[in-house]
């Protein structure tokens, strides 16, 4: 994987994550209280595994889903597996990653999964 692309995607992912959190803070009073009670340096970790129940309740399922995908993608970067499909292991095309930095599957696997879930 192109290291420059990975670095760029990592930044996009962090930005996206902060954007979702900022959105939540402005739209949800409970969430605002949680965030205000936190150390600012922990903010980036807000969606990590130790996220508490109250925080989860304050998140809409859509936002939570996105945060989880973003975290998975960040984990994949740390593991050096970013950009490889979690299902088949093939490379995810760069255009797809640029459009959806948290894409974890190639289009074929994603399409197959969506068909199965329907
Ligand atoms: Zn695949």
């Amino acid at each position: 994987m192109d290291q420059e692309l990975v670095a760029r995607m990592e930044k996009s992912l962090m930005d996206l994550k902060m954007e979702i959190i900022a959105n939540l803070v402005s739209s949800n009073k409970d969430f605002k209280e949680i965030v205000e009670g936190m150390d600012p340096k922990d903010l980036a970790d807000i969606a990590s595994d130790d996220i508490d129940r109250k925080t989860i309740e304050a998140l809409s399922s859509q936002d939570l889903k996105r945060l989880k995908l973003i975290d998975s993608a960040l984990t994949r970067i740390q593991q050096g597996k970013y950009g490889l499909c979690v299902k088949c292991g093939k490379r995810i095309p760069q255009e797809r990653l640029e459009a959806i930095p948290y894409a974890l599957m190639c289009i074929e696997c994603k399409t197959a999964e969506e068909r199965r879930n329907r």
Side-chain angles (χ1 to χ4, degrees):
M1 203 69 198
D2 178 351
Q3 284 311 308
E4 199 186 308
L5 174 72
V6 173
R8 197 148 46 84
M9 292 300 105
E10 185 172 20
K11 178 153 192 327
S12 302
L13 288 162
M14 292 307 291
D15 286 350
L16 264 173
K17 190 165 164 176
M18 294 313 280
E19 197 184 299
I20 294 173
I21 293 169
N23 244 326
L24 285 163
V25 170
S26 63
S27 65
N28 189 301
K29 199 175 135 286
D30 284 346
F31 197 78
K32 190 165 185 262
E33 279 168 18
I34 295 164
V35 171
E36 279 172 351
M38 285 178 83
D39 197 314
K41 72 174 165 44
D42 292 333
L43 256 187
D45 294 325
I46 203 159
S48 65
D49 292 339
D50 50 57
I51 190 164
D52 68 40
R53 264 196 70 77
K54 203 179 171 200
T55 314
I56 290 171
E57 279 163 16
L59 290 165
S60 77
S61 60
Q62 187 71 23
D63 288 328
L64 188 63
K65 216 174 140 193
R66 271 173 80 206
L67 281 175
K68 282 195 166 156
L69 284 170
I70 290 168
D71 267 351
S72 304
L74 289 168
T75 306
R76 305 276 296 164
I77 288 176
Q78 277 157 21
Q79 294 171 337
K81 292 176 187 162
Y82 181 73
L84 298 176
C85 174
V86 293
K87 290 257 162 169
C88 68
K90 275 190 216 147
R91 271 189 160 202
I92 300 169
Q94 185 173 332
E95 311 85 73
R96 175 159 165 78
L97 291 173
E98 283 180 352
I100 315 167
Y102 47 86
L104 296 175
M105 283 183 234
C106 67
I107 292 161
E108 288 81 4
C109 293
K110 183 77 188 153
T111 310
E113 193 186 75
E114 274 166 8
R115 209 177 293 137
R116 214 171 30 242
N117 289 340
R118 205 170 288 156

